[in-house]
Amino acid sequence: MNILLQQKAPIHEALQRHKLNRVVPFDVPGHKGGRGNKELTDFLGEKCLKLDVNSMKPLDNLTHPVSVIKEAEEIAADAFGAKAALFIVNGTTASVQGMVMSVCKAGDKIIMPRNVHRSAINALVVCGAVPVYVNPGVNKNLGIPLGMSVIEVEKAIKENPEAKAILVNNPTYYGICSNLREIVRVAHRHNIKVLVDEAHGTHFYFGENMPVSAMAAGADMAAVSMHKTGGSLTQSSFLLCGEGVNPDYVRQIINLTQTTSGSYLLMVSLDIARKNLSLKGKEIFKKTVELAKYARGEINKLGGYYAFAEEIMDGDTTYDFDPTKLSVHTRKVGLAGVEVYDLLRDEYGIQVEFGDISNFLAIVSAGDREFEIERLIASLSEIKRLYGKDDISGMLDHEYINPDVAMIPQKAFYSVKKSLPIQDSIGEICGEFVMCYPPGIPILAPGERITEEVIQYIQYAKEKGSFLTGTEDMNVENINVVLR
């Protein structure tokens, strides 16, 4: 990384010049620096509205960058150790879909774990690629899916040598990392591209003693959700390209779906956040790890809760662990993770990232303060005292259900469908998604056969208060199935 280069922020500098030039706007957006919408300006601030501008020659154009955006992307590529870094303003969803659609066309096979984010399966619906699912490991004590075993990846490649790519979650929502270097080595030996959904791994590039990053492992592409742990604005992301990828072609793919009105607020946040992490990342993530480690220790002292970490590593499906993650198992206090999630928000004014059947996840960053960590710990102690019940560890002991794929996602999604009550749909082929959000990992995806185990899981998740999404029926009582 070139530290002198990293001190620059070209988009930030260009916007500062633009503001000083006091240009009279006869272009969009129509709020004209906020003057046309006083209530919005009062709420967001005049400075913010004045910087919400459209593409113009001095500010470059996201769809075909030739000046300040191009320079900012080159500096970002240096920061991440990538051949190229593309600014994404449609969220990491667009980054993931861009990766998949850059290497796969209709009928091409892509190997992936089934616990991918819905954005990856959405990409299959759009481009017509065929998934080859590698079942992740499962920790039944914690009720979580893990990473991919190298042996399972090798088996999938042997059975599907024509596959174009492997998609790897690294890390998972819970902080679990696969043996990424070895997966890359095995895939490249068979001329298969490796795509990494690194939505929760920005800090791998800038912190010390972190799991290996996708670019350092030799992956071909990576989707990095800068806003999650990197400090940029929500919806801003990077798509990183390695040496074996043509970034100009990838940009063409991204431009099929990304807005032509790129938000300069999102782009400048990426520019400044990258600069901040490049210059201060070691310090930022050192503090983050210390806060997360302290919180885990104190939560584990409460009894019942289990904030897990590196001790669950097994050298295979849990090859490494993200030390910034505060994932907490709750079932030994008699509560589902989503119940603790709801209690923290509704009774204690604490918003954690998500809760599922067995765990909740609190995102810790350098923006947190010690007293907020203490407030979380104290609230969990009181929740245990006031709401704790008998251990429910034996009930529905895992989040992951092996899929029964009966049809490719695109064909199922666009097929003629009928709506059935969910409880009456056993044996049918699903024509849409069902998922808890967050994290947005489908319980059912288009083309999968609906089983009794899946129905039981959906019903249990609803009973515990999980927020279910994905179905056309907004009440998630009916499901669209493929008409036979």
Side-chain angles (χ1 to χ4, degrees):
M1 187 190 302
N2 185 330
I3 296 300
L4 286 177
L5 189 65
Q6 294 305 318
Q7 293 174 358
K8 300 182 67 177
I11 299 173
H12 181 210
E13 294 155 14
L15 284 172
Q16 287 179 316
R17 290 192 296 270
H18 173 75
K19 188 170 63 172
L20 291 173
N21 287 339
R22 302 180 69 181
V23 174
V24 178
F26 280 102
D27 62 347
V28 297
H31 60 67
K32 302 299 173 95
R35 294 193 303 272
N37 191 335
K38 185 178 185 303
E39 186 176 2
L40 182 62
T41 304
D42 290 344
F43 183 65
L44 292 181
E46 183 179 349
K47 188 173 184 179
C48 176
L49 271 292
K50 282 187 178 297
L51 294 177
D52 182 35
V53 293
N54 194 30
S55 296
M56 58 188 77
K57 282 189 177 180
L59 296 180
D60 210 352
N61 189 300
L62 181 60
T63 63
H64 193 93
V66 294
S67 58
V68 294
I69 296 176
K70 181 175 185 287
E71 184 182 5
E73 289 187 335
E74 289 170 350
I75 295 172
D78 176 73
F80 285 94
K83 176 182 177 181
L86 280 65
F87 276 51
I88 304 294
V89 296
N90 278 26
T92 305
T93 288
S95 296
V96 171
Q97 292 174 350
M99 291 194 304
V100 173
M101 293 190 292
S102 293
V103 298
C104 293
K105 300 178 179 65
D108 288 343
K109 290 184 178 181
I110 179 169
I111 298 167
M112 61 173 63
R114 177 53 183 77
N115 59 322
V116 291
H117 189 266
R118 72 167 293 175
S119 58
I121 301 178
N122 283 350
L124 306 185
V125 170
V126 173
C127 75
V130 180
V132 175
Y133 290 127
V134 173
N135 290 326
V138 174
N139 184 319
K140 291 195 174 185
N141 292 325
L142 298 176
I144 62 171
L146 305 172
M148 288 194 292
S149 164
V150 173
I151 291 174
E152 289 297 317
V153 170
E154 290 177 324
K155 179 183 175 186
I157 291 174
K158 185 177 180 180
E159 294 174 353
N160 302 273
E162 72 278 25
K164 299 294 184 181
I166 296 174
L167 178 68
V168 185
N169 294 333
N170 203 70
T172 69
Y173 235 121
Y174 303 95
I176 308 299
C177 299
S178 300
N179 187 348
L180 190 56
R181 287 188 194 275
E182 186 62 16
I183 289 173
V184 169
R185 190 187 68 80
V186 169
H188 284 178
R189 196 170 68 230
H190 292 85
N191 297 314
I192 294 174
K193 300 288 188 189
V194 177
L195 318 176
V196 182
D197 182 347
E198 215 165 22
H200 288 267
T202 302
H203 46 293
F204 290 2
Y205 291 89
F206 303 99
E208 292 184 300
N209 302 314
M210 294 286 176
V212 67
S213 69
M215 290 295 104
D220 297 283
M221 301 177 77
V224 180
S225 198
M226 194 72 162
H227 72 89
K228 286 185 170 67
T229 60
S232 65
L233 291 179
T234 296
Q235 202 174 308
S236 58
S237 176
F238 281 117
L239 176 50
L240 306 179
C241 300
E243 288 300 327
V245 173
N246 178 358
D248 296 324
Y249 174 70
V250 174
R251 193 184 304 279
Q252 284 189 314
I253 298 298
I254 287 294
N255 285 343
L256 292 175
T257 54
Q258 179 158 256
T259 177
T260 55
S261 302
S263 167
Y264 278 86
L265 296 176
L266 296 182
M267 284 188 278
V268 76
S269 80
L270 282 169
D271 204 22
I272 294 173
R274 182 272 314 150
K275 176 183 176 182
N276 185 47
L277 293 186
S278 297
L279 301 180
K280 303 175 184 176
K282 289 181 181 179
E283 170 190 337
I284 288 169
F285 294 119
K286 181 175 184 290
K287 180 184 176 185
T288 302
V289 170
E290 288 172 352
L291 287 172
K293 184 177 180 180
Y294 172 76
R296 277 195 294 270
E298 294 302 305
I299 290 170
N300 286 335
K301 289 177 186 177
L302 298 176
Y305 299 106
Y306 175 33
F308 50 91
E310 292 88 348
E311 72 277 358
I312 68 170
M313 288 164 49
D314 62 5
D316 187 26
T317 52
T318 310
Y319 184 79
D320 209 340
F321 184 82
D322 175 2
T324 71
K325 289 290 184 291
L326 184 55
S327 302
V328 183
H329 187 67
T330 64
R331 293 169 74 84
K332 287 189 182 299
V333 295
L335 296 168
V338 68
E339 291 175 312
V340 176
Y341 169 97
D342 286 338
L343 287 166
L344 284 169
R345 183 193 61 244
D346 297 341
E347 302 298 329
Y348 298 91
I350 295 174
Q351 181 65 56
V352 295
E353 174 67 10
F354 81 93
D356 57 29
I357 299 301
S358 302
N359 310 272
F360 73 83
L361 170 66
I363 296 291
V364 179
S365 79
D368 289 308
R369 295 162 292 186
E370 286 79 0
F371 79 86
E372 289 158 340
I373 298 290
E374 295 292 356
R375 181 173 164 184
L376 172 63
I377 295 163
S379 299
L380 289 173
S381 176
E382 192 165 305
I383 285 172
K384 178 188 173 186
R385 181 174 63 84
L386 295 178
Y387 303 98
K389 304 170 188 172
D390 293 334
D391 184 343
I392 56 171
S393 295
M395 300 172 64
L396 271 170
D397 60 1
H398 59 282
E399 289 285 314
Y400 178 76
I401 299 172
N402 292 346
D404 179 358
V405 181
M407 187 180 292
I408 68 169
Q410 185 184 66
K411 183 176 180 181
F413 187 83
Y414 289 112
S415 68
V416 178
K417 297 180 284 251
K418 64 179 179 180
S419 179
L420 290 176
I422 287 179
Q423 65 270 19
D424 296 336
S425 65
I426 295 173
E428 304 287 347
I429 298 173
C430 185
E432 56 186 356
F433 290 93
V434 183
M435 72 200 82
C436 297
Y437 193 88
I441 297 168
I443 301 167
L444 273 171
E448 295 176 2
R449 195 169 302 281
I450 302 169
T451 64
E452 186 174 356
E453 185 182 13
V454 167
I455 299 299
Q456 289 175 347
Y457 182 91
I458 292 171
Q459 291 172 337
Y460 189 78
K462 289 181 77 171
E463 288 170 8
K464 292 299 182 182
S466 294
F467 181 58
L468 293 173
T469 70
T471 54
E472 185 178 330
D473 174 17
M474 296 297 289
N475 294 320
V476 199
E477 294 173 350
N478 297 295
I479 189 167
N480 286 333
V481 301
V482 175
L483 188 64
R484 299 185 186 185

